[in-house]
Structure formats: structure tokens, C-alpha cells
Amino acid sequence: MKPIELLRQRIVFSENQFAELVLWRLAQPVMESRYSFKYRLAYVVNGKCVLRYDNEAGKGDHRHWDNQEIKYEFTTPEQLLADFQQDIERWNHENSCS
């Protein structure tokens, strides 16, 4: 089975803030993951990616918060999107963005 793209969307929040969401269903999980999803969610502010969730082969599920890489416990695509949205709100609050 070929990968099936489930989501590809860019959400523009302002002139200098946007999120890009990409999610695929795979025939089998990527290395170091238990689920058959491949994803890349990024939040960009002033041209810099300040928040990213992904599950690249060999690293498994994780998120990047500024310059830190933190393990992420993937459960469902819906929860992934909710967690990402919550982190965008948190980042904006902590960095005085609206």
C-alpha cells in the first residue's frame, strides 16, 4: 500500500505566523514508532520554526520546542493536532504573541 496523504494544510495566523500540517497513513509504522502514521507539524514565527512535531525514522515520535527535542507520546491523529494547537497557544502566551 502506498502512503495516503490525510492532511496537508497551511494555516495563516498573521502576516508573520503560520502553521503547516502534513499527515500520512502508511502501510507500516516508521522505525521507532508503533503507529502507521507519518507526520510533520510546524509552527513558524518571523521566518523561524519555533515548534515542530514529527516522527522521522530512527528517532520516533518527538517535538521540537525552540532548540529542544522532547519525546512525544503519539496516540491518535486527533490528539496530535489538539496537542499541537495547545502548544501553539502556550508558545504564543509565553512569547507575548497573539
Side-chain angles (χ1 to χ4, degrees):
M1 177 173 96
K2 293 175 82 173
I4 299 169
E5 186 174 272
L6 301 175
L7 174 67
R8 180 175 295 272
Q9 182 177 17
R10 179 179 278 216
I11 302 168
V12 177
F13 295 102
S14 72
E15 207 173 279
N16 64 341
Q17 296 171 281
F18 68 89
E20 193 160 277
L21 305 102
V22 183
L23 174 68
W24 299 271
R25 180 184 303 276
L26 307 175
Q28 59 187 25
V30 294
M31 191 177 3
E32 302 295 325
S33 182
R34 300 181 318 206
Y35 301 94
S36 297
F37 294 99
K38 175 79 176 135
Y39 56 88
R40 180 184 72 244
L41 311 176
Y43 182 51
V44 178
V45 177
N46 295 322
K48 179 183 176 195
C49 182
V50 296
L51 174 64
R52 188 173 78 244
Y53 282 59
D54 62 64
N55 63 337
E56 59 189 277
K59 286 190 168 187
D61 303 292
H62 61 282
R63 69 183 180 129
H64 302 260
W65 182 278
D66 280 328
N67 295 318
Q68 297 178 10
E69 189 174 299
I70 305 157
K71 184 170 174 49
Y72 175 72
E73 189 64 41
F74 179 91
T75 56
T76 66
E78 295 80 13
Q79 188 61 54
L80 170 72
L81 295 173
D83 292 343
F84 182 63
Q85 179 62 41
Q86 186 176 32
D87 272 354
I88 287 174
E89 292 170 11
R90 178 179 158 211
W91 194 95
N92 286 340
H93 177 75
E94 290 178 8
N95 292 277
S96 301
C97 291
S98 51

